[in-house]
Amino acid sequence: DQQVKQNSPSLSVQEGRISILNCDYTNSMFDYFLWYKKYPAEGPTFLISISSIKDKNEDGRFTVFLNKSAKHLSLHIVPSQPGDSAVYFCAARVTGTASKLTFGTGTRLQVTL
Amino acid sequence: GAVVSQHPSWVICKSGTSVKIECRSLDFQATTMFWYRQFPKQSLMLMATSNEGSKATYEQGVEKDKFLINHASLTLSTLTVTSAHPEDSSFYICSARDPQRKADEQFFGPGTRLTVL
């Protein structure tokens, strides 16, 4: 049972344009969401997070939007840069579960010149 | 800061042998470490939570006698895949939580690619 889903396995965006990565979840108990970026042969690195009490969190070029009623979150990267090319995972957590994270399957972002 | 290393980065072994993977927090003390497994084109699946000085907590469906976890110090956790079989071939990633930082932030190691022949 995949509780966190990223339905787009890959995405290609031109440099300078906006990248939008989507994530859906099914467990209504999730109350904290995170985005990780992963390069080949490296572990995931934390990008940005959002609590369920918010609907938007912004950090530089990265913005995460949360729609609780739709159980949907998205990561916006603007402007996209070639160095953003990586696999992006969204993850979710339930408060009180000792930081246990449930990950999506990832979306491979390719930023082209 | 908050660097996590894994060793080895890749390993090939024969079926039936045991393989040990180390996870180290290099610049912080990690009371809690997590072990994940990732199959191709799938998500990272949490296998177990490793707490320093106590037994690991395994996720449902993960055989604790097959995947032995030891968290003997605040900077080292080990995962031993015992009697490995080809279906154990996967990418194993550990993460560590720094108690000095936000509780939700985990720092991941680079992963270990295990291939069982």
Side-chain angles (χ1 to χ4, degrees), chain A residues 2 4 32 34 36 38 41-46 49 89 93 97-106, chain B residues 32 34 36 38 41-46 49 59 91 93 97 102-111:
Chain A
Q2 190 70 34
V4 180
Y32 202 89
L34 307 90
Y36 285 84
K38 185 180 181 300
E42 294 184 14
T45 54
F46 171 76
S49 62
F89 290 94
R93 180 177 66 80
T97 56
S99 300
K100 284 172 53 173
L101 296 175
T102 301
F103 282 85
T105 50
Chain B
T32 304
F34 303 89
Y36 295 83
Q38 184 186 21
K41 297 185 180 180
Q42 294 187 25
S43 63
L44 282 73
M45 299 297 296
L46 180 65
T49 302
E59 294 301 298
F91 192 59
I93 306 177
R97 189 166 71 82
K102 291 187 296 184
D104 49 57
E105 192 166 2
Q106 295 181 26
F107 299 93
F108 286 81

Coordinates of all heavy atoms in Angstrom, one line a residue, chain A residues 2 4 32 34 36 38 41-46 49 89 93 97-106, chain B residues 32 34 36 38 41-46 49 59 91 93 97 102-111:
Chain A
Q2 N 0.9 1.9 -1.1 CA 1.8 3.1 -1.3 C 1.0 4.3 -0.7 O 0.1 4.8 -1.4 CB 2.1 3.3 -2.8 CG 3.2 4.3 -3.1 CD 4.5 3.9 -2.6 OE1 4.9 2.7 -2.6 NE2 5.3 4.9 -2.2
V4 N 2.2 7.3 0.0 CA 2.7 8.5 -0.6 C 3.1 8.2 -2.1 O 3.9 7.3 -2.4 CB 4.0 9.0 0.1 CG1 4.5 10.3 -0.5 CG2 3.7 9.3 1.6
Y32 N 3.2 16.2 8.6 CA 4.4 16.9 8.3 C 5.0 16.3 7.0 O 5.0 15.1 6.9 CB 5.4 16.8 9.4 CG 6.5 17.9 9.4 CD1 6.3 19.1 10.1 CD2 7.7 17.7 8.7 CE1 7.2 20.1 10.0 CE2 8.6 18.7 8.7 CZ 8.4 19.9 9.3 OH 9.3 20.9 9.3
L34 N 7.9 16.5 3.7 CA 9.3 17.0 3.4 C 9.6 16.6 1.9 O 9.0 15.7 1.4 CB 10.3 16.3 4.3 CG 10.1 16.3 5.8 CD1 9.3 15.2 6.3 CD2 11.4 16.3 6.5
Y36 N 12.9 15.8 -0.5 CA 14.4 15.5 -0.5 C 14.8 15.4 -2.0 O 14.1 15.1 -2.9 CB 14.6 14.1 0.1 CG 14.6 14.1 1.6 CD1 13.3 14.0 2.3 CD2 15.7 14.3 2.4 CE1 13.3 14.0 3.7 CE2 15.7 14.2 3.8 CZ 14.4 14.1 4.4 OH 14.4 14.1 5.8
K38 N 17.9 13.9 -4.5 CA 18.9 12.8 -4.5 C 19.6 12.8 -5.8 O 19.0 12.7 -6.9 CB 18.2 11.5 -4.2 CG 19.2 10.3 -4.1 CD 18.4 9.0 -3.8 CE 19.4 7.9 -3.7 NZ 20.2 7.6 -4.9
A41 N 24.1 7.8 -6.7 CA 25.2 7.3 -5.8 C 25.3 8.2 -4.5 O 26.4 8.1 -3.9 CB 26.5 7.2 -6.5
E42 N 24.3 9.0 -4.2 CA 24.4 9.8 -3.0 C 23.1 9.6 -2.2 O 22.1 9.1 -2.8 CB 24.5 11.3 -3.3 CG 25.9 11.7 -3.9 CD 26.0 13.2 -4.1 OE1 25.2 13.9 -3.5 OE2 26.9 13.6 -4.8
G43 N 23.1 9.9 -0.9 CA 21.9 9.8 -0.2 C 21.0 11.0 -0.4 O 21.5 12.0 -0.9
P44 N 19.8 10.9 -0.1 CA 18.9 12.1 -0.2 C 19.3 13.3 0.7 O 19.8 13.0 1.8 CB 17.5 11.6 0.2 CG 17.6 10.1 0.2 CD 19.0 9.8 0.5
T45 N 19.1 14.5 0.2 CA 19.4 15.6 1.0 C 18.1 16.4 1.2 O 17.3 16.6 0.3 CB 20.5 16.6 0.4 OG1 20.1 16.9 -0.9 CG2 21.8 15.9 0.4
F46 N 17.9 16.9 2.4 CA 16.7 17.7 2.7 C 16.6 19.0 2.0 O 17.6 19.7 1.9 CB 16.7 17.9 4.2 CG 15.6 18.8 4.7 CD1 14.3 18.4 4.7 CD2 15.9 20.2 5.0 CE1 13.3 19.2 5.2 CE2 14.9 21.0 5.4 CZ 13.6 20.5 5.5
S49 N 10.4 21.7 3.9 CA 9.3 20.9 4.6 C 8.1 21.9 4.8 O 8.2 23.1 4.7 CB 9.8 20.3 5.9 OG 10.2 21.4 6.8
F89 N 12.2 13.3 -4.0 CA 11.3 12.4 -3.2 C 10.5 13.3 -2.3 O 11.0 14.2 -1.6 CB 12.1 11.4 -2.3 CG 12.8 10.4 -3.1 CD1 14.1 10.5 -3.5 CD2 12.1 9.2 -3.5 CE1 14.7 9.5 -4.2 CE2 12.7 8.2 -4.2 CZ 14.1 8.3 -4.5
R93 N 5.2 12.3 7.4 CA 5.4 11.8 8.8 C 4.2 12.1 9.6 O 3.5 13.1 9.4 CB 6.6 12.5 9.4 CG 7.0 12.1 10.8 CD 8.2 12.8 11.3 NE 8.1 14.2 11.5 CZ 7.5 14.8 12.5 NH1 7.0 14.1 13.5 NH2 7.5 16.1 12.6
T97 N 5.7 9.6 15.8 CA 6.2 8.3 15.3 C 7.7 8.3 15.2 O 8.2 7.6 14.4 CB 5.6 8.0 13.9 OG1 5.9 9.1 13.0 CG2 4.1 7.8 14.1
A98 N 8.3 9.0 16.1 CA 9.8 9.0 16.2 C 10.5 9.2 14.9 O 11.4 8.5 14.5 CB 10.3 7.6 16.8
S99 N 10.0 10.2 14.2 CA 10.6 10.7 12.9 C 10.5 9.7 11.8 O 11.2 9.8 10.8 CB 12.1 11.1 13.1 OG 12.2 12.1 14.1
K100 N 9.7 8.7 11.9 CA 9.6 7.7 10.8 C 9.0 8.4 9.6 O 7.9 9.0 9.6 CB 8.7 6.5 11.2 CG 9.4 5.6 12.1 CD 8.4 4.6 12.7 CE 7.6 3.8 11.7 NZ 6.8 2.7 12.3
L101 N 9.7 8.2 8.5 CA 9.2 8.9 7.2 C 8.7 7.8 6.2 O 9.3 6.8 6.1 CB 10.4 9.6 6.6 CG 11.0 10.8 7.4 CD1 12.2 11.4 6.6 CD2 9.9 11.9 7.6
T102 N 7.7 8.2 5.5 CA 7.1 7.4 4.4 C 7.4 8.2 3.1 O 7.0 9.3 3.0 CB 5.6 7.2 4.6 OG1 5.4 6.5 5.8 CG2 5.1 6.3 3.4
F103 N 8.2 7.5 2.2 CA 8.6 8.2 1.0 C 7.8 7.8 -0.2 O 7.2 6.7 -0.3 CB 10.1 7.7 0.7 CG 11.1 8.4 1.5 CD1 11.4 8.0 2.8 CD2 11.7 9.5 1.1 CE1 12.4 8.6 3.6 CE2 12.7 10.2 1.8 CZ 13.0 9.7 3.1
G104 N 7.7 8.8 -1.1 CA 7.1 8.5 -2.4 C 8.2 7.8 -3.3 O 9.3 7.5 -2.9
T105 N 7.8 7.5 -4.5 CA 8.7 6.7 -5.4 C 9.7 7.6 -6.2 O 10.5 7.1 -6.8 CB 7.8 6.0 -6.5 OG1 6.9 6.9 -7.0 CG2 7.1 4.8 -5.8
G106 N 9.5 8.9 -6.1 CA 10.5 9.8 -6.7 C 10.1 10.3 -8.1 O 9.4 9.6 -8.8
Chain B
T32 N 19.4 8.1 17.3 CA 18.5 7.3 16.5 C 19.1 7.3 15.0 O 19.4 8.3 14.5 CB 17.1 7.9 16.5 OG1 16.7 8.0 17.8 CG2 16.2 7.0 15.7
F34 N 18.2 5.2 11.1 CA 17.2 4.5 10.4 C 17.9 3.8 9.2 O 18.8 4.3 8.6 CB 16.2 5.5 9.8 CG 15.5 6.3 10.9 CD1 16.0 7.5 11.2 CD2 14.3 5.9 11.5 CE1 15.4 8.3 12.2 CE2 13.7 6.7 12.4 CZ 14.2 7.9 12.8
Y36 N 17.0 2.1 5.5 CA 16.1 2.0 4.4 C 16.6 1.0 3.4 O 17.8 0.8 3.2 CB 15.8 3.4 3.8 CG 15.2 4.4 4.7 CD1 16.0 5.1 5.6 CD2 13.9 4.7 4.6 CE1 15.4 6.1 6.4 CE2 13.3 5.6 5.4 CZ 14.0 6.4 6.3 OH 13.5 7.3 7.1
Q38 N 16.0 0.4 -0.9 CA 15.3 0.9 -2.1 C 15.6 0.0 -3.3 O 16.7 -0.2 -3.7 CB 15.9 2.3 -2.5 CG 15.2 3.0 -3.7 CD 15.8 4.3 -4.1 OE1 17.0 4.5 -3.8 NE2 15.1 5.1 -4.8
K41 N 13.4 1.8 -9.1 CA 12.2 2.5 -9.4 C 11.1 2.5 -8.3 O 9.9 2.6 -8.6 CB 11.6 2.0 -10.7 CG 12.6 2.3 -11.9 CD 11.9 1.8 -13.2 CE 12.9 2.1 -14.4 NZ 12.3 1.7 -15.7
Q42 N 11.6 2.2 -7.1 CA 10.6 2.2 -6.0 C 11.1 3.2 -4.9 O 12.2 3.8 -5.0 CB 10.5 0.8 -5.4 CG 9.9 -0.2 -6.3 CD 9.7 -1.5 -5.7 OE1 9.5 -1.6 -4.4 NE2 9.6 -2.6 -6.4
S43 N 10.3 3.4 -4.0 CA 10.6 4.4 -2.9 C 11.5 3.8 -1.9 O 11.7 2.6 -1.9 CB 9.3 4.9 -2.3 OG 8.6 3.9 -1.7
L44 N 12.0 4.7 -1.1 CA 12.8 4.2 0.1 C 11.9 3.6 1.1 O 10.9 4.2 1.5 CB 13.6 5.3 0.7 CG 14.8 5.9 0.1 CD1 14.5 6.7 -1.2 CD2 15.6 6.7 1.1
M45 N 12.1 2.3 1.4 CA 11.2 1.7 2.4 C 12.0 1.5 3.7 O 13.1 1.0 3.8 CB 10.8 0.3 1.9 CG 10.1 0.3 0.6 SD 8.5 1.2 0.7 CE 7.6 0.1 1.8
L46 N 11.4 2.1 4.8 CA 12.0 1.9 6.1 C 12.0 0.5 6.5 O 11.0 -0.2 6.5 CB 11.2 2.8 7.1 CG 11.8 2.8 8.5 CD1 13.1 3.4 8.6 CD2 10.8 3.5 9.5
T49 N 14.3 1.0 12.8 CA 14.8 2.2 13.6 C 15.8 1.6 14.6 O 15.4 0.7 15.4 CB 13.6 2.9 14.2 OG1 12.7 3.3 13.2 CG2 14.1 4.1 15.0
E59 N 10.2 -2.8 11.0 CA 9.0 -2.5 10.4 C 8.3 -3.9 10.0 O 9.0 -4.9 9.9 CB 9.1 -1.7 9.1 CG 9.6 -0.3 9.4 CD 8.7 0.5 10.3 OE1 7.5 0.7 9.9 OE2 9.1 0.9 11.4
F91 N 19.6 -1.4 -2.8 CA 20.3 -0.3 -2.3 C 19.9 0.0 -0.9 O 18.7 0.3 -0.6 CB 20.0 0.9 -3.3 CG 20.9 2.1 -3.1 CD1 22.2 2.0 -3.4 CD2 20.4 3.4 -2.8 CE1 23.1 3.1 -3.3 CE2 21.2 4.5 -2.7 CZ 22.6 4.3 -2.9
I93 N 20.2 2.3 2.4 CA 20.6 3.7 2.9 C 20.3 3.8 4.4 O 19.2 3.4 4.8 CB 19.8 4.7 2.1 CG1 19.9 4.5 0.6 CG2 20.2 6.1 2.5 CD1 19.1 5.5 -0.2
R97 N 19.5 10.9 12.9 CA 18.8 12.1 13.5 C 19.7 12.7 14.5 O 20.2 12.1 15.4 CB 17.5 11.7 14.1 CG 16.6 12.9 14.5 CD 15.2 12.4 14.8 NE 15.1 11.7 16.0 CZ 15.0 12.2 17.2 NH1 15.1 13.5 17.3 NH2 14.9 11.5 18.3
K102 N 16.1 19.9 14.6 CA 14.7 19.7 14.6 C 14.5 18.2 14.5 O 15.2 17.4 13.8 CB 14.1 20.3 13.3 CG 14.1 21.8 13.4 CD 13.3 22.4 12.2 CE 13.9 22.1 10.9 NZ 13.2 22.7 9.8
A103 N 13.5 17.7 15.2 CA 13.2 16.3 15.3 C 12.9 15.6 14.0 O 13.1 14.5 13.8 CB 12.1 16.0 16.3
D104 N 12.4 16.4 13.0 CA 12.0 15.8 11.8 C 13.1 15.7 10.8 O 12.9 15.2 9.7 CB 10.8 16.6 11.2 CG 11.1 18.1 11.1 OD1 12.1 18.5 10.6 OD2 10.3 18.9 11.8
E105 N 14.2 16.3 11.0 CA 15.3 16.3 10.0 C 16.2 15.1 10.2 O 16.8 14.8 11.2 CB 16.1 17.6 10.2 CG 17.0 17.9 9.0 CD 17.5 19.3 9.0 OE1 17.2 20.0 9.9 OE2 18.3 19.6 8.1
Q106 N 16.3 14.3 9.1 CA 17.2 13.2 9.0 C 18.3 13.5 8.0 O 18.0 14.1 7.0 CB 16.5 11.9 8.6 CG 15.4 11.5 9.6 CD 14.7 10.2 9.2 OE1 15.3 9.4 8.4 NE2 13.5 10.0 9.6
F107 N 19.5 13.0 8.3 CA 20.6 13.2 7.4 C 21.0 11.8 6.9 O 21.2 10.8 7.6 CB 21.8 13.8 8.1 CG 21.5 15.2 8.6 CD1 21.0 15.3 9.9 CD2 21.6 16.3 7.8 CE1 20.6 16.6 10.4 CE2 21.2 17.5 8.3 CZ 20.7 17.7 9.6
F108 N 21.0 11.7 5.5 CA 21.2 10.4 4.9 C 22.6 10.1 4.5 O 23.4 11.0 4.1 CB 20.3 10.3 3.7 CG 18.9 10.1 4.0 CD1 18.1 11.2 4.3 CD2 18.3 8.9 4.0 CE1 16.7 11.1 4.6 CE2 16.9 8.7 4.3 CZ 16.1 9.8 4.6
G109 N 23.0 8.8 4.6 CA 24.3 8.4 4.1 C 24.2 8.2 2.6 O 23.1 8.3 2.0
P110 N 25.3 8.0 1.9 CA 25.3 7.8 0.4 C 24.7 6.5 -0.1 O 24.5 6.4 -1.3 CB 26.8 8.0 0.1 CG 27.5 7.5 1.3 CD 26.6 7.9 2.5
G111 N 24.5 5.6 0.8 CA 23.9 4.3 0.4 C 25.0 3.2 0.1 O 26.1 3.5 -0.2

